[in-house]
Amino acid sequence: MHDGSVLEERGVPSIAICSEVFFSAGKVQARVLGYNDLEPLTVAHPIQSLTPKQIQERADSVVDKIIESLTK
């Protein structure tokens, strides 16, 4: 969330992505940083234990949502 807010302040469109377990914490952090309307994009949890192939599949499953969010 913090990295995304810094990038946004510099004029770089960004999106926050977190696993679903951390969605609530991400929303709180966004509010603390002054981004009340920010809705983090969520992916299924866990991430850390996935193989590179599984991570790629997870990323592929949200790429359209990322593009949509960044091109609104």
Side-chain angles (χ1 to χ4, degrees), residues 8 13 15 21 24 27 33-34 48 54 65-66 70 72:
E8 287 284 341
I15 183 169
V21 172
S24 294
K27 289 287 290 180
L33 294 169
Q48 186 176 6
Q54 291 170 316
K65 291 179 183 177
I66 293 169
L70 291 175
K72 284 184 184 178

Side-chain angles (χ1 to χ4, degrees), residues 22-62:
F22 297 105
F23 179 79
S24 294
K27 289 287 290 180
V28 169
Q29 188 175 21
R31 283 196 305 273
V32 167
L33 294 169
Y35 293 90
N36 297 325
D37 297 328
L38 182 63
E39 285 289 325
L41 178 65
T42 58
V43 294
H45 189 80
I47 302 270
Q48 186 176 6
S49 60
L50 299 180
T51 66
K53 182 178 185 231
Q54 291 170 316
I55 292 172
Q56 182 66 53
E57 290 168 352
R58 184 107 14 117
D60 289 345
S61 74
V62 296

